[in-house]
Amino acid sequence: MKKFRKVLDGLTTSSPGGTIGSPSCGSAAGTPTAAPTPREIDVQETLTSDNFQLCKTVRHGFPYQPTALAFDPVQKILAIGSRSGGVRILGRPGVDCFCQHESGAAVLHLQFLINEGALVTACADDTLHLWNLRQRRPAVLHSLKFNRERITFCHLPFQSKWLYVGTERGNTHIVNIESFILSGYVIMWNKAIELSTKTHPGPVVHLSDSPKDEGKLLIGFEAGTIVQWDLRAKKADFRIYYDEAIHSVSWHHEGKQFMCSHSDGSLTLWNPRNTTKPFQVTFPHGKIQKDGRKESCKPILKVEYKTSRSSEPFIIFSGGLSYDKAGRRPALTIMHGKAITVLEMGYPIVEFMVLCETPYNNEVQEPYTVVVLLEKDLIVVDLTQSSFPVFENPYPMDIHESPVTCTAYFADCPPDIIPILYSIGAKHKKTGYSHKEWPVGGGTWTLGSHTYPEIIITGHADGSIKFWDASAFTLQMLYKLKTSKVFEKPKAGEGRSAEMVEEDPFAVQMVSWCPQSRIFCVVGISAHIILYRFSKYDANTQIVSLEVRLQCESEDVITPSENENYPCFSEQGSHSPQPHHQHPVSPGSRTPEGAKDRGPCLKVKERVVRVPPGYQSDLVIQLLWVDGEPPQQITSLDINSAYGLLAFGNCNGLAVVDYLQKTVILCMSTVDLYGATDPYQRLTRSPRRNRQSTSEHCMRGLSNFYSDSKKRIRTSYQSLTELNDNQQSVDMERSKSPTSVHYPTSLHNDPRVLPEPVASLRASHCSPVFYLLDNGHASRRAMLQQLHGVTMYSHDEHHTTSYCWNERESRENSFSRSRSSSVSSIDRDTKEAITTLQFGESYGRKSDVLPTPCLWVGTSLGMVLLIPLSIPTDHEERMEEAVTVGPSGAVQMLKGSILRFAFLDCMGALIQSPYEVWRDLNAPEDPDRPRRRKLVHFSPSSSQDANGDGHLAVVCSERQAKVFLMPSQACLFVHNITESSFVLRADVVSVCNSVCLACFCANGHVMTLSLPSLRPLMDVNYLPLTDMRIARTFCFTNGGQALYLSSPTEIQRITYSQEMCDNLQEMLGELFTPIETPEAQNRGFLKGFFGGNAHAFDREELFGEAAAGKASRSLAQHIPGQGGVEGMKMAAGGAVGELARARIALDERGQRLGELEERTALMMTSAESFSKHAHELMLKCKDKKWYQF
């Protein structure tokens, strides 16, 4: 434990450019109680760097761009490979593991070692990997890199240690799974086919051993050639040459026939004893036309031929539909006897597998389920029922049902909120699912001891909100809210505004949630805010709508003032506070409201609507069009249930709404908030000419704006689609095992790790909001527009030229001049946006003795403003009297735009915002217990007896963090977070019963700083920013956790707490559980006698080094994996790493002792044998004379 005391004498800040407030400005003269000076602040900081370690925990969602599928029928676990080199392994709910290949190459094939706890993956870089699944974090044991041939197919027979590998050249190689060394036994393509064949048969597309005889290998070539190779005799038993290309082959379990699927949409059935022609050819979806010809059909990409004891065989295939029916969705066809069932899918089919009761290929298969892997979904169909219902997926595979546009993460929620949300959401679940148990039930998972209620909220492009239960490293959807139900459906041609945003007019930009009061706020892209209250009862309600005219008509130019070195602004004296507006009026408006104003972008339902239990809309706030200009995007939002107030801002100004009285109490431009303490000289620009000359001219500008808006929100959740092919993006996003990979920790920012867009940002030394507001930095501005949701609407630019993303990108790439980070370098058309807001109990003025409700305001120019609020305390007065607001001017200035506020008491404890205890407004009235507001306050003065009144205010910007002492506004601590990059996300979070400041920078560094001293505790170069999706969705929460959208379909959760890293192993599920392999059925005497000597096949005798020799060294290279003792060493050390190493050393010691014991036993046996033989020899020679020898 470190005890910290701040003194003024000879004190220097942690950054060279900072200043310390002097005692003379610490408190105003004449105040009855002196505020605590920095000399009196005594904080015991308990956090050290040993409390922090960064690692990934779990990944949720559907694997992005899936490529391969595999299933272990004994362990009952499922594996899915992806194009980015990831592998997701799924078992029972709670068993969900993510593995990542270091190369990032696409996974082409997956093959389980059935019931062995291992998995073979074949990647696009022609490398085979063997994964050990007997540990909670799988690791690679061996790798085999093919140098001269490309892998096209893999097959591993059940209970065999020899893997067949087919290549693009048509050759078949054999790999020993135990040693991962290539056998010298090779089936060359020119030996497999006849010598008279003049054409190459193509790549190997199928390999399988005959169910009748394991010594017969069936090889399928793409061009239509099929060869059955006798492994013992090293020759072909038969060869089939077919006119159509082959896509897949499937055996009948008796081995007497096999089925092929072809590129013309046909299925052929072959008899191995008569291979001159197929004895059956069918076109399942090819109808005979009037002219007698069959319809042309699409290729059948895969077919499965499975038998059943109680019914006809199942023939299941994908593709094969006719070409002439346009618009048909991808389908899976199930042929069972004479019945043909076509299951249409919502997305293209990547792969499917039929799950059977037995792992043996020579027994009746008894299929019970088919798993269908789609491009964006996972479907599991029940084959045991004639209607073929699907199973309800227990995994969160529908996160991307509509693209995710924002996220929020809440740890340590009230314990009653999750059951309530689940009970409400369960009423709206779909029905018609199969009632059988989920077939993928492998692995084991138990609820860990370090669990607490966690909720993740995702906002989507269609306006929907999803609440997820994220407790104990799982994810389950609790409740879904559709914000679009508040509005009328935009009709085509009904107003130009609806036409421009008809694709995503309800897209969610940000959310604000108070779990205690259950007040929920949503900000949409159409410049609207919806406030929801929670109720367990349905109700008939009429939605109240407020229209706010938050538009700044005068263009303000900012010039540097004489006082630039972070002045301590004087108390506001003669300047009276700006009066609040009871009606939403444009701040600084010089023209009367008239025909130039237009309504909001969306139309709220005016009729009384029936709302179900759950979140019910209470108020809708919309920004208006002004003078033909669309409203600017809302950039900040905060709501406080105890005050009954909601505040929001954009680049034009700030508005405060009383949602209890449904009135606007403040609507003011950012310039007017400063009053007399404005540190800048703002010069009015001359009026623009031809502002709205013609309607066509105006609508062209609106079209440009909405094109900008749609591109911006769409880029934020589709950027990986555009960037995924970029190797740099893939490399930077590549995930690794957190327990085996060391993330370098350094207390400096390495410019070499910056991706190119961010590196160009770094070169300008400018705040990201400056890029945002700077017409000269088009792509930088667009980048931060996506992050903050701001649109800087330039009339001159948008009314004369159309928006072109590529053109602006080229302008950005050609820009190279350096700029200063000081305010003096801001361009002359810069606007000041409101970037963050925070309600709380604080001191609005330096002369205040007691804390009062206040609103802290942060701007894009690094200014911090404080707005005192006068709120009636009595319940009746609160509902009738108006809340008064009086801006008190600027408090302090930081480098870069303000990102976060937080308040600490003088003992260093976090002060929570006051809130109202939840009450159900739709509950029946109880005369004995009237419904009155119950407020919970956390006053700064309530926890300081020894230190007097006052509190600490933590302010974090894109470049700096400062701690102020209130009410004196003296700066106690300063820390320059980064000079080469900028902070994207900052939060004050609780870790290990203390608090710290957590930051995520654009160069990928995750940092934590102690509070209040702002000492660096952790700085890890974790994940460079590759696209705006990560920036928009990265968020910290309490308990040392964070999350971000790693792909458009997946949520990656991480932890930066050493304690959670230590307990990570016990919180994850076990993939492998010891299960006895089911015994093979008794074949009977006749089947064994006439069916061939299949079980006498010895692969070791054929493929071993003694018989086949060694393979060419240049053909493949063996690479030792990290799954051994070396790989088990934890990346960051710590107690769990030492324990793991000690356990491994103990296991090795036990193994050596076991080997020593075995050798000792052998020596004892040998000694006993020698003694016995010696005794027998002695008895034999006992009575003999010397001459008889």
Side-chain angles (χ1 to χ4, degrees), residues 883-1067:
V883 176
T884 58
V885 180
S888 61
V891 175
Q892 276 292 351
M893 179 189 294
L894 280 78
K895 297 178 182 178
S897 63
I898 306 300
L899 299 178
R900 187 66 58 197
F901 294 118
F903 310 116
L904 310 176
D905 61 24
C906 290
M907 298 298 293
L910 184 65
I911 302 174
Q912 303 289 342
S913 298
Y915 63 87
E916 174 191 0
V917 178
W918 174 70
R919 55 195 177 101
D920 198 335
L921 299 180
N922 296 332
E925 292 283 352
D926 187 356
D928 298 332
R929 301 179 62 185
R931 282 202 302 261
R932 298 180 62 87
R933 300 181 72 220
K934 182 181 178 181
L935 308 182
V936 177
H937 288 272
F938 300 93
S939 175
S941 60
S942 61
S943 61
Q944 354 257 334
D945 296 330
N947 292 331
D949 295 336
H951 72 88
L952 304 176
V954 181
V955 185
C956 183
S957 73
E958 294 168 334
R959 300 297 182 92
Q960 254 185 350
K962 287 187 178 183
V963 176
F964 299 99
L965 177 64
M966 302 299 292
S968 67
Q969 300 179 9
C971 179
L972 301 183
F973 304 97
V974 184
H975 179 71
N976 290 327
I977 299 175
T978 177
E979 293 293 343
S980 59
S981 182
F982 54 88
V983 179
L984 292 169
R985 182 76 187 215
D987 283 290
V988 174
V989 294
S990 62
V991 181
C992 300
N993 298 320
S994 187
V995 291
C996 68
L997 176 64
C999 303
F1000 173 60
C1001 294
N1003 60 0
H1005 283 245
V1006 177
M1007 293 178 280
T1008 57
L1009 305 174
S1010 67
L1011 290 176
S1013 65
L1014 299 177
R1015 289 181 299 106
L1017 297 174
M1018 181 188 73
D1019 187 351
V1020 178
N1021 185 8
Y1022 171 65
L1023 178 70
L1025 176 66
T1026 55
D1027 52 67
M1028 291 312 302
R1029 182 190 62 253
I1030 298 174
R1032 284 191 66 89
T1033 58
F1034 197 102
C1035 50
F1036 295 97
T1037 190
N1038 294 329
Q1041 295 196 76
L1043 66 81
Y1044 61 92
L1045 225 65
S1046 59
S1047 74
T1049 62
E1050 296 170 286
I1051 292 176
Q1052 178 68 58
R1053 293 166 67 177
I1054 65 175
T1055 181
Y1056 48 94
S1057 167
Q1058 179 68 56
E1059 181 182 5
M1060 182 163 287
C1061 290
D1062 293 344
N1063 300 314
L1064 184 60
Q1065 294 294 324
E1066 68 177 67
M1067 300 176 73

Side-chain angles (χ1 to χ4, degrees), residues 719-785:
S719 55
L720 185 56
T721 305
E722 303 169 3
L723 295 176
N724 192 59
D725 293 335
N726 186 345
Q727 186 62 34
Q728 178 190 21
S729 171
V730 175
D731 291 343
M732 291 179 176
E733 170 52 27
R734 188 172 305 131
S735 308
K736 298 180 180 180
S737 175
T739 57
S740 62
V741 178
H742 173 67
Y743 294 106
T745 58
S746 61
L747 297 179
H748 66 278
N749 297 326
D750 187 359
R752 293 173 296 178
V753 301
L754 288 171
E756 185 174 347
V758 183
S760 61
L761 295 181
R762 174 189 181 279
S764 68
H765 296 289
C766 185
S767 166
V769 178
F770 295 166
Y771 317 142
L772 172 65
L773 307 178
D774 181 11
N775 283 336
H777 294 67
S779 66
R780 294 173 184 171
R781 180 177 59 180
M783 176 183 178
L784 270 301
Q785 282 175 357

Side-chain angles (χ1 to χ4, degrees), residues 381-409:
V381 182
D382 186 358
L383 295 178
T384 60
Q385 302 182 41
S386 59
S387 59
F388 301 127
V390 299
F391 288 88
E392 184 179 8
N393 200 326
Y395 315 122
M397 294 290 187
D398 57 346
I399 294 175
H400 62 286
E401 184 179 14
S402 175
V404 178
T405 54
C406 71
T407 58
Y409 193 6

Side-chain angles (χ1 to χ4, degrees), residues 111 190 296 335 395 478 599 855 864 951:
Q111 189 78 52
N190 53 357
S296 58
M335 299 174 62
Y395 315 122
L478 298 172
L855 174 63
V864 178
H951 72 88

Side-chain angles (χ1 to χ4, degrees), residues 445-462:
W445 179 78
T446 55
L447 192 65
S449 57
H450 302 271
T451 59
Y452 42 82
E454 299 175 74
I455 287 180
I456 295 174
I457 300 177
T458 56
H460 300 265
D462 62 352

